[in-house]
Amino acid sequence: AQSVAQPEDQVNVAEGNPLTVKCTYSVSGNPYLFWYVQYPNRGLQFLLKYITGDNLVKGSYGFEAEFNKSQTSFHLKKPSALVSDSALYFCAVRDYPGGADGLTFGKGTHLIIQP
Amino acid sequence: DTGVSQDPRHKITKRGQNVTFRCDPISEHNRLYWYRQTLGQGPEFLTYFQNEAQLEKSRLLSDRFSAERPKGSFSTLEIQRTEQGDSAMYLCASSPGQQIMNTEAFFGQGTRLTVV
């Protein structure tokens, strides 16, 4: 079975500082990993994904994430936070091959960027 | 707007009533997904279509739930004899799905169901 853990319910960062939102996963096969962001009254928006290749993947709005197979982690990062980055962030995984076609999401992490 | 469209955005119903939600995916996306999201939780996978074929159903999808995608375009999700525990945001997503690399899904804004 595939699963995702986001150990922090909330992350507080000062504007301009680097940010990290943590995600660990568990799969039987190979992980396909995703980050989505949810703003109030808006649908989930895709940020970035890891399928194969370089462990560091770059996505929308200056975000990046690092795939670490030994630590089974896929932490979301940004070098310099903006107040507009404040939102709810979800990590998701799909186990391939053999896993469910639907994604398994974590519970989400509220990111709060303070001016 | 060429994104995923869901209708209605909000639905309040009395316990025991039936409700139906509609999802219009991004044009030419052949994969369509339904998820449910409750407060404080991430989305939970319910079911998935490849064109008109329903290929996978989660154990969360009880017998009271049924989904269709009759022509491989829009989809409907029906809940019969609603219960208060069905109150949630129901999310629809679509993806191109032809290549394994095209696996990111694009989500609609959801239908918020409240069962009173």
Side-chain angles (χ1 to χ4, degrees), chain B residues 8-80:
Chain B
R9 294 289 309 281
H10 303 274
K11 179 70 177 180
I12 300 175
T13 191
K14 292 184 178 180
R15 189 176 54 184
Q17 296 296 305
N18 298 345
V19 294
T20 300
F21 310 140
R22 176 179 171 123
C23 171
D24 288 90
I26 294 172
S27 180
E28 298 182 355
H29 277 193
N30 56 7
R31 290 190 171 192
L32 186 148
Y33 305 82
W34 285 99
Y35 289 82
R36 180 175 69 187
Q37 185 177 17
T38 54
L39 197 61
Q41 302 294 320
E44 297 171 296
F45 170 70
L46 292 178
T47 190
Y48 146 65
F49 290 84
Q50 175 90 24
N51 299 313
E52 66 274 13
Q54 188 174 18
L55 296 185
E56 190 167 351
K57 292 193 285 187
S58 161
R59 284 174 291 179
L60 293 174
L61 211 65
S62 76
D63 292 344
R64 296 183 297 105
F65 287 69
S66 63
E68 295 182 343
R69 194 182 183 197
K71 296 183 179 179
S73 55
F74 73 92
S75 176
T76 57
L77 178 68
E78 181 183 17
I79 309 174
Q80 295 181 328

Side-chain angles (χ1 to χ4, degrees), chain A residues 23-88:
Chain A
C23 171
T24 59
Y25 66 89
S26 175
V27 296
S28 302
N30 300 307
Y32 289 173
L33 293 155
F34 303 82
W35 277 101
Y36 282 83
V37 60
Q38 190 171 42
Y39 297 99
N41 299 317
R42 295 176 66 178
L44 283 163
Q45 295 179 32
F46 169 76
L47 277 180
L48 51 79
K49 66 180 178 183
Y50 172 82
I51 304 299
T52 187
D54 289 342
N55 289 342
L56 185 66
V57 293
K58 296 185 182 296
S60 306
Y61 312 120
F63 283 94
E64 58 188 28
E66 186 168 12
F67 170 64
N68 188 317
K69 187 174 183 178
S70 63
Q71 296 185 3
T72 62
S73 67
F74 190 58
H75 300 331
L76 182 69
K77 301 181 179 183
K78 187 172 182 180
S80 178
L82 300 172
V83 172
S84 58
D85 293 330
S86 298
L88 181 58

